[in-house]
Amino acid sequence: DARVTQTPRHKVTEMGQEVTMRCQPILGHNTVFWYRQTMMQGLELLAYFRNRAPLDDSGMPKDRFSAEMPDATLATLKIQPSEPRDSAVYFCASGPSVIGADTQYFGPGTRLTVL
Amino acid sequence: GQSLEQPSEVTAVEGAIVQINCTYQTSGFYGLSWYQQHDGGAPTFLSYNALDGLEETGRFSSFLSRSDSYGYLLLQELQMKDSASYFCAVYRTDKLIFGTGTRLQVFP
């Protein structure tokens, strides 16, 4: 049963610390998305990649956030330095190469708390 | 701009039928999707409308009217396990733009 995996599942850190979240997309999927979910803002798209190339990161605060795909099996989202307002659940999702609306499979999320 | 509006909360009893509406102000999208998310869980795909009209998948149906900028998710024979948040999303190029979400509470 193929699924998207994310680590860590939970992260508590102090303001100013670096946070790295990792995602392993479903094998064979070539599109990877990072979302952030909060009660106030809902589900926001931060960035996405196709074939490891960043296509859109307009939803991401550039000064502190960075997203990369060092290889086809790993996507990372880094926050440096972290701030309390970054507290949220961060979801990674992946999709196969065929374009279709039902092609995003979400990981379980990383719940980040910045104190 | 792009925005999708949904009611924040809907309540119903087991066995009932409930409709969750989604109105949008966007253009040039391929279709309208619906996702379900249980508390503490991840969004999971429910349905997709590429064309106007009704799509049925078991107890769930989804409807799209592009001329009215409107869609809805219809849940029939409600069960307690249907208590969750439901999000509509428009599919543009390679990405989804999500609505504000509707929290459905099903009571016995």
Side-chain angles (χ1 to χ4, degrees), chain B:
Chain B
Q2 304 165 91
S3 68
L4 295 93
E5 297 295 325
Q6 302 177 234
S8 60
E9 189 168 0
V10 174
T11 60
V13 297
E14 270 188 304
I17 299 172
V18 72
Q19 179 174 311
I20 299 174
N21 297 324
C22 173
T23 57
Y24 57 86
Q25 294 181 6
T26 188
S27 60
F29 63 93
Y30 292 121
L32 186 72
S33 299
W34 287 91
Y35 280 74
Q36 178 191 61
Q37 185 180 26
H38 287 98
D39 285 348
T44 56
F45 171 78
L46 285 180
S47 69
Y48 173 60
N49 291 73
L51 303 173
D52 282 8
L54 193 68
E55 292 283 341
E56 297 181 67
T57 309
R59 294 187 298 113
F60 295 175
S61 303
S62 57
F63 174 82
L64 173 63
S65 169
R66 290 177 189 266
S67 60
D68 296 324
S69 299
Y70 166 71
Y72 66 73
L73 179 70
L74 190 72
L75 300 89
Q76 302 181 73
E77 301 173 21
L78 279 175
Q79 302 175 10
M80 295 295 291
K81 67 178 181 178
D82 297 329
S83 293
S85 292
Y86 293 84
F87 296 87
C88 61
V90 292
Y91 188 69
R92 296 190 66 184
T93 58
D94 295 325
K95 58 185 180 182
L96 290 171
I97 310 298
F98 283 86
T100 53
T102 298
R103 184 172 182 83
L104 171 63
Q105 293 192 64
V106 180
F107 294 98

Side-chain angles (χ1 to χ4, degrees), chain A:
Chain A
D1 184 25
R3 58 185 66 189
V4 176
T5 59
Q6 291 185 244
T7 57
R9 294 292 310 277
H10 302 272
K11 177 71 176 180
V12 180
T13 191
E14 293 187 346
M15 181 173 62
Q17 296 298 305
E18 177 179 302
V19 175
T20 299
M21 290 168 272
R22 294 177 173 81
C23 167
Q24 182 172 15
I26 293 174
L27 189 64
H29 284 190
N30 73 338
T31 313
V32 175
F33 306 81
W34 282 106
Y35 292 91
R36 176 172 62 185
Q37 187 174 38
T38 62
M39 288 295 293
M40 295 300 294
Q41 299 297 326
L43 201 57
E44 304 173 276
L45 178 66
L46 295 176
Y48 74 101
F49 297 77
R50 171 179 277 178
N51 295 322
R52 296 174 55 199
L55 289 190
D56 186 344
D57 61 0
S58 59
M60 201 165 65
K62 303 291 192 306
D63 56 338
R64 299 184 299 108
F65 284 59
S66 62
E68 295 179 347
M69 276 201 77
D71 62 61
T73 65
L74 177 65
T76 62
L77 180 66
K78 291 186 181 181
I79 308 174
Q80 169 62 23
S82 58
E83 297 181 1
R85 59 177 169 158
D86 301 329
S87 297
V89 181
Y90 291 81
F91 288 104
C92 172
S94 73
S97 57
V98 176
I99 293 176
D102 60 343
T103 57
Q104 288 199 30
Y105 299 83
F106 282 75
T110 294
R111 182 174 296 274
L112 174 66
T113 302
V114 183
L115 303 175

